[in-house]
Structure formats: C-alpha cells, structure tokens
Amino acid sequence: MATLKDLANLIFPNVNETIEDLEKRYPLRNLEEGSEVTRFAPSPTGFLHTGSLFTTLVTQKVANQSNGVFFIRLEDTDTKREIAGSGKELIDQLSVFGVVPNEGYMGDFEKGNYGPYKQSQRAHIYNVVIKDLITRGRAYPCFCSHEDLDELRKVQEAKKLIPGYYGEFAKCRNLSVEEQIKLVKEGKPFVIRFKSLGNHENKVEVDDLVRGHLLLSENDQDIVIYKSDGLPTYHFAHLVDDHFMRTTCVTRGEEWLPSLPIHIDLFNTMGWKAPKYAHLPVIMKNDNGTRRKLSKRKDNEAACSYFLQDGYPVYAFKQYLFTIANSNYEEWQRDNKELKLSDFNFQFNKMSLDGALFDIDKLKYFSKELLASYSGEEMKEFAKEYAKKYNDELYQLIIRDEDYFTQIMSIEKDKENPRKDYEKCADILEKVKFFYEPYFSNMMENGLPYNENIDKKIISKVLQEFVDTLNYEVSEQEWFNNLKALAVRNNFAESAKIYKQNKELYLGSVNDIAEMVRISLTTSKQSPNIYYVLRILGKEEIARRISKSIEVLNK
Ligand code: GLU
C-alpha cells in the first residue's frame, strides 16, 4: 500500500533535510529579554511607497529601541509582478532615508546567518516544511484546473456561499494516495494545498499590538502553499521565513489582517509559536471629501521620491511620518526640541486605528522648522546637494559663487527667531533669483510695481538721494533711522502711524520709501529684509540697480 511518505518522496525526491535540521541551522537568537526581531519584507514591484517607508520606520524603531535586530527580506515569489532591479533600488532609497538594516538583503549582497534573505532562493527550505506537511497528511497536491476553480466559484456564488477551496468543495482532499501518486507520475500539473482542520463557525483569539484583543473566525480554507512554479505563496513563506528567521514581531499593513486566521492555523499546525503581530494603519488621502488609500497611480505623494525631488529634508519627512505613527510625537518633539527622533519612545498603543490622513501642511511645518534651524552654511550645503541632483538651474547659481549664495541663505539667521522662509529646496530658486543676473534684468522687463499714487519724479529723486547717502555698515536700527530721515527730508512721515493721523501733510510714509527701494533692488513688493539685501548686493550693484530703475521711471 502506498503511503503519504511515498507521495512526499515522489514530489520532493531530493529533499533529505528535516525540520529538526532547519531548527539547528537557524537557532534561536541570542538576544536579551524583550529585544524584538523585526523585518521589512518588500516585494520588488516598484518604487518606495510612502506607506512602505512609514512601515519601515516603525519596524526599525521597534527593533532599535529594544536593542533587537531589524532585517530586510525580499519577497520575490510573484515573478509576474516583479520589476527587474527594483529590489536593489528599494534598498538604495531606504538608505537615503537613513534606513539601513542590521541584517538581511542589502541589494548587492546579504548579511546575517538566517538567510538566504531572498525568497526565490529559499525553495530548499520551504520544500522541507511542505514535505513534512505532506507526510503528516496536512498538505496535498491539488490537480484542479483554472476551469475547475471557475466552476467552483460559480456554484458558490449561486448558493451565496463563502468562496474558496474548503470542506466539501476541496475536491482533491479526498483523492486516495494511490490516485495522487498516479496523477503526479502522469505529469498532471498540480499545486500543493494546506489541509485545514478549522471550522469557520469557531473563533480564534489573537492580540494585535495595535488593535488589541481580536476575535476572528477560524480558518477553514485549504490555501495554496506551493504554486505550480515551485515557489511558495505569501502565507506559507511568512510562516516558514518568520519562524526560521526568528522574527518576534511582525509589523505589516492592515490589509493583511483578514489573513491572520490562516497564519495562526499554519503556525498551530506546525506547533510553532507565532510572532506578535502589529497591523499598521494605511495612509489615506482626503480626495474631495472622501478618504481613500494613497494611490500609487494617482498621487504624487505616494512615492517617497516625490519629497526628495521637492527638496524636503529627509529628517523632517521622517518626523512627519512619526506624527502618523504616534499621536503624542508632535507634542513630545515640541516640548523636547533638543532631543532627536532616535530618543523618542514609540508605542504601538498610541497608533491611530482608522488610517492616518496624509497632511502635507504638517510636513511643511516640520520642514520649515528644521530649515530655519540650519545655519547659512548648512543651508547652502543642503541646497547644493539637492540642486546637483534635481535642479541644475539652481545648481549653476550656487556654484557661480558659493559664498554669495551662503550669504543669501544666511539672511536674518543671526536673529533670535530666524525667519522660516523655506519649506523645501524647490522654493529657493524663485525666492533668490533677483540676486542674480540675468534674472534681475529679465524680471525688470516685466515692469516695476511702484505705487502709482506717488509721482514718478519724486520716486526718482528719493531713490537718487537714497544711493547718495547710503551707509549700510551700521546696525539695522541705525540704518532704518537714516531711512526715516530721508523720508522726512522728502516730505514723507517717519512712520505709518504719523502719516495716518495727518494724511494731508505728507506724500506718504517711510514705508513707501522702503517699498520704492525694495522694488528697485528686487523688482517686487515682497522680499527678504532689505537691510540684509543691501549688504549682500554691495554698493556697486545697488547703485547700478537704482540707476536702472530711475531710467525706467524717467521713460
Ligand atoms: N511582501 C508583503 C507586502 O509587500 C509583506 C507583508 C509583510 O510584511 O508580511 O505586503
């Protein structure tokens, strides 16, 4: 009489190792009590998604703050969806965000004793476990064709039954060993299914670190564990990999929550202790009043690269993602300005349950704060690195004269509350180009927005006197006092307040004078503090710009 062992040997003739061998090869990790082993398990199917970075940051944090291990495993068993090279690209992108695993798949190489860390290279390990399950009668070959499965679906739909391969519908479950052996020998294509002994009517209890205590319907599905291409499915690979890589805490997107009963069934069947689970919320977007998942196709913000292209500092982006991770992070950071993200104690139970809304304004807030804290030199370096990669026009300006650019970036940095001028590098060019030729001349050609209520001749005269008497080698206060004196000499009030009290006595106020100067030097009514602009442009350039403006006024 043929036995299950014969069947297992027929399907896996070259698999000689046992589960015990694997247990020995991948021993329990020697870590202190409470240390967590976590993993990020991306599929190589495209760019680094903002949601994936979020998951990764949390995953890394949990390991780091418990002196544990954080590793990366590449889940490349879905060969149809794989995009060549994207596994390595993910690793490169993660490292841009400061995420470097302690162990695992590193792009070009692997590090650690629990590998291989690419699922496509682990068939020999999965096969040991499948062979064991077949021998124990807990897995079997299924010869159903696509047509058979379509037919089954239709029957279940018509009867309004739960879809799937289970119980009485699991046709191949009931084949005799002889029949199974015969069909395999005939070369009939097959997959291997797990044989579940569960009952959908029963409940299983699980504690999720984010969602708390859950009562879920037991699994009864005979899921596929081994595909016709010889590779495992996600569920089975999760079982084997997280067991033998000794993961203690699985952090993954909440879309996996419905599959949890399958995973519990698998772990119980093997007699293995399941890891702790944390199903993380999905990042949502407000789309005209409705909340939906950030979409790879529709939303720029779904790709982490978008934030790099716009020149947000990586650190600010990470800070922002931590506000999604823990509701108390923002307050903690505000109260502890000197502390770093690495000092923050992340807790699963402070995570929102219903998906976090992506909030670009909050990201801008963190970014502005961080950029405002940079010195002029740091800002120059940051902008230069950004521009070199993403914005050649800005790069050319920076390298034309790095000291000059640093001076621009230093505007008002010496003040107690430095201005928060920039929220990202992509804003810089537009804000600084008036400092440079030919931008300045081109901008002048678009017209200068002087106040039309003031006679052009008066503006010209004031401007000329401004250059003739200019001295910016004094304090800002003294410089402004001089500007007031210039105003008074020309029949403008020395303050807006005085002007408002007696409008008929004056042509305007010192504010109008400042505006004339500002427009002449920057072509715009808005600019950084003019005292600083003067010091950067220097006497010669100021004189040149003012005389050009007078020319325009006299036309
Ligand atoms: N490859 C799976 C995914 O990308 C991993 C899920 C998990 O972390 O277990 O969704």
Side-chain angles (χ1 to χ4, degrees), residues 102 118 188 193 202 208 213 246 272 453 471 515:
N102 308 116
K118 263 171 97 164
K188 190 154 169 116
R193 289 185 184 271
N202 297 341
D208 182 88
H213 193 68
R246 307 300 179 184
W272 295 341
N453 298 324
N471 179 11
E515 185 180 276

Side-chain angles (χ1 to χ4, degrees), residues 207-235:
D207 284 310
D208 182 88
L209 294 171
V210 179
R211 273 140 225 283
H213 193 68
L214 303 172
L215 214 53
L216 305 168
S217 292
E218 205 171 81
N219 174 58
D220 63 352
Q221 298 271 346
D222 284 2
I223 55 140
V224 174
I225 55 178
Y226 175 95
K227 300 182 289 175
S228 53
D229 61 6
L231 288 171
T233 52
Y234 168 79
H235 308 301

Side-chain angles (χ1 to χ4, degrees), residues 525-544:
K525 288 186 190 176
Q526 266 144 22
S527 80
N529 184 327
I530 209 73
Y531 168 71
Y532 287 79
V533 173
L534 292 169
R535 295 161 68 97
I536 294 171
L537 289 174
K539 275 228 148 72
E540 230 172 89
E541 180 63 8
I542 296 167
R544 189 183 75 89

Side-chain angles (χ1 to χ4, degrees), residues 242-256:
D242 284 317
H243 176 69
F244 286 116
M245 292 179 178
R246 307 300 179 184
T247 307
T248 61
C249 178
V250 165
T251 42
R252 62 185 178 191
E254 65 185 358
E255 68 273 21
W256 293 108

Side-chain angles (χ1 to χ4, degrees), residues 284-293 357:
M284 315 282 279
K285 171 163 177 146
N286 190 338
D287 190 359
N288 285 326
T290 42
R291 281 162 77 106
R292 61 165 175 77
K293 230 171 122 172
L357 216 47

Side-chain angles (χ1 to χ4, degrees), residues 130-182:
I130 299 179
K131 192 169 184 180
D132 175 80
L133 283 169
I134 295 178
T135 312
R136 287 165 49 206
R138 295 303 306 273
Y140 60 89
C142 168
F143 303 92
C144 286
S145 62
H146 285 303
E147 292 75 35
D148 295 334
L149 296 177
D150 277 347
E151 194 52 40
L152 173 61
R153 198 172 310 124
K154 277 182 207 147
V155 170
Q156 289 170 334
E157 255 169 34
K159 293 189 183 164
K160 296 202 166 29
L161 291 168
I162 296 173
Y165 206 84
Y166 61 96
E168 58 181 300
F169 302 109
K171 218 166 69 181
C172 292
R173 232 187 204 227
N174 303 322
L175 295 176
S176 67
V177 180
E178 281 77 17
E179 224 160 341
Q180 289 171 326
I181 289 179
K182 180 172 154 273

